[in-house]
Amino acid sequence: MIETWNPRLEVVWTADDKVVLDTAVLLSQNVNQASYVSEVLLFLYQHSAADVIMICQKSGTGDDMKILRILHQGQVLPVNASYPIEGTPCANVTRHGVLYFASGVKDRFPMDNYLREYGIDSYFGAPFMNSSDELMGVVALLHKKSLPNPHLLELLLTILSPSLESLLERLAPQATA
């Protein structure tokens, strides 16, 4: 029997991982449902153990990120906030693509008061790009300890990002209006 193997990540996927990956593919096909973003947040929460998961959209000026949805310990929270990108891990996601700090993120970004206030030690972020290959947002997973399976998480975001990007791109004209 041939095992599923991702040579770039050098990971052998377990049977449980394969079920999760298949579920992500099915979920990505539900992008037109009104509850899609919330479903994605809950799915990522179930399979990442992150304390906080945020989906953010870049402001028109590019200096801020608007938090579109936030999930805190499994609960979707109402939010109408934005934050400056500079001095946060998100600034590095925008420059370098997918970024994972297994630990020490609050010490690496001392200007990010949120990380310190909530005791966030681990950060996983991935960019959302538009059809012109410009940054339009970020998904960030924050945790008080290292995430258990960042390789699986990266692949999940690779699967889910295109549908989230198309959704954000459709919302972008509304955000700037």
Side-chain angles (χ1 to χ4, degrees), residues 149-167:
N149 195 343
H151 298 300
L152 179 63
L153 186 55
E154 182 177 9
L155 191 51
L156 290 176
L157 289 174
T158 299
I159 293 167
L160 295 169
S161 287
S163 56
L164 289 167
E165 288 168 343
S166 70
L167 182 63

Side-chain angles (χ1 to χ4, degrees), residues 115-172:
L115 298 176
R116 191 165 307 290
E117 183 178 333
Y118 290 94
I120 301 299
D121 195 48
S122 175
Y123 175 94
F124 190 104
F128 293 131
M129 308 304 283
N130 66 18
S131 57
S132 301
D133 207 28
E134 300 166 325
L135 179 79
M136 68 177 157
V138 171
V139 59
L141 293 91
L142 303 97
H143 198 42
K144 293 180 180 180
K145 57 185 177 183
S146 296
L147 294 170
N149 195 343
H151 298 300
L152 179 63
L153 186 55
E154 182 177 9
L155 191 51
L156 290 176
L157 289 174
T158 299
I159 293 167
L160 295 169
S161 287
S163 56
L164 289 167
E165 288 168 343
S166 70
L167 182 63
L168 284 178
E169 197 156 20
R170 287 194 309 261
L171 294 175

Side-chain angles (χ1 to χ4, degrees), residues 78-93:
V79 66
N80 184 17
S82 60
Y83 62 93
I85 296 172
E86 206 52 47
T88 70
C90 287
N92 289 297
V93 169

